[in-house]
Amino acid sequence: GCGNGWVAKEFLPKGKQNFSLDISVTNPAIAKKLYSSEKHFGIAADSFHLPFNDNSFDCVIASEIIEHVFDPAAFVMELFRVVKKGGSLVITTPYKEKIIYYLCVHCNQKTPANAHIHFFDEMKLESLYSGNDLESFKYETFGNKVLIFLRSYIILEFFPFWLWKIKDKFANRIYDKPVHIICFYKKK
C-alpha cells in the first residue's frame, strides 16, 4: 500500500534503499515517478504472497492497510517473514475504530465505509503474531480526535514533528481519544 510514496520521500534522502509495493500497478509507478532514484523500486504484488526471500528487509512499513485485509494474522506473518533478524515490522492503523456500514444499492448487503473490515487495539495487534522469532512488540497511540476534528494539522504541518507530538500527548491527557496506533514487531 505505498500510496503516493511518502516512505520513499522520507528515506531516499537518507540513502536508504526503498521498495514501494502495492497490489495495483498504478501506485508503485506513481511513487517511482515522484521519487526517482536508483535505490527506489516500484513493485506490484500481493502482500499475502510477497516476491521476496525470507529475511530480506531491515524494516517493513504497512501504514493504514491491515484494516482492509481479510486475514490480518496471515498478513502480519507474511510481512514478518521478509524482515531481517534484528529488523522491524511497523504497522499503523485506526485505533479502536467503530466501523460504519452502509447498505449497498447494487447487492443489498451491508458494506463497510472506507472498506475497513477490521478494527484494532493494542491487544488485538499483539495477538496477531507470536512466533519464536518475535523479540518484542511495542505500540504507541496518537492523533487526538479533537485536534483532528479542529483540523489543527493544517497549522502543525509547518512546525517540527516533536511539537506536534507534544501537543498531541497533551490533548490525549485532557481528552483521551487517540485515533491511530503504531506498533513495532521486532525480530530476534
Side-chain angles (χ1 to χ4, degrees):
C2 66
N4 64 2
W6 68 270
V7 172
K9 179 183 178 185
E10 179 68 27
F11 290 104
L12 286 172
K14 297 175 182 172
K16 305 290 183 184
Q17 193 173 42
N18 191 89
F19 289 78
S20 292
L21 187 137
D22 200 295
I23 196 160
S24 99
V25 295
T26 307
N27 286 346
I30 290 170
K32 183 89 172 97
K33 185 176 179 182
L34 288 172
Y35 307 104
S36 183
S37 168
E38 59 192 31
K39 291 187 172 192
H40 188 197
F41 305 92
I43 298 171
D46 179 357
S47 59
F48 287 93
H49 306 285
L50 295 172
F52 307 110
N53 293 329
D54 295 356
N55 305 306
S56 294
F57 299 100
D58 296 318
C59 183
V60 173
I61 300 171
S63 182
E64 309 299 313
I65 301 168
I66 196 168
E67 65 273 13
H68 299 278
V69 302
F70 63 90
D71 188 347
F75 175 74
V76 170
M77 186 176 295
E78 179 64 1
L79 296 181
F80 204 63
R81 175 187 69 78
V82 301
V83 173
K84 287 181 182 175
K85 293 175 175 137
S88 297
L89 168 60
V90 180
I91 295 178
T92 68
T93 187
Y95 183 61
K96 295 183 179 180
E97 178 183 28
K98 181 181 178 188
I99 299 176
I100 299 167
Y101 292 91
Y102 297 105
L103 189 61
C104 178
V105 295
H106 304 290
C107 64
N108 203 32
Q109 299 293 320
K110 280 179 24 178
T111 305
N114 304 316
H116 293 186
I117 57 177
H118 301 282
F119 62 92
F120 296 94
D121 62 15
E122 58 277 11
M123 294 184 325
K124 194 170 182 182
L125 286 163
E126 186 174 17
S127 73
L128 293 177
Y129 191 82
S130 59
N132 292 333
D133 56 350
L134 179 65
E135 181 178 308
S136 64
F137 172 86
K138 295 179 183 176
Y139 72 92
E140 187 175 330
T141 56
F142 65 96
N144 183 272
K145 192 172 196 168
V146 172
L147 294 180
I148 290 172
F149 178 77
L150 294 174
R151 298 182 184 267
S152 66
Y153 56 85
I154 294 170
I155 296 167
L156 286 173
E157 71 181 332
F158 299 105
F159 293 93
F161 182 65
W162 62 266
L163 183 62
W164 174 84
K165 283 185 78 172
I166 290 170
K167 185 177 179 182
D168 188 62
K169 283 186 181 198
F170 178 74
N172 277 322
R173 286 183 190 204
I174 294 170
Y175 183 69
D176 190 24
K177 290 293 181 186
V179 294
H180 293 282
I181 185 169
I182 183 169
C183 58
F184 304 88
Y185 300 82
K186 180 136 176 95
K187 198 170 204 177
K188 286 182 187 174

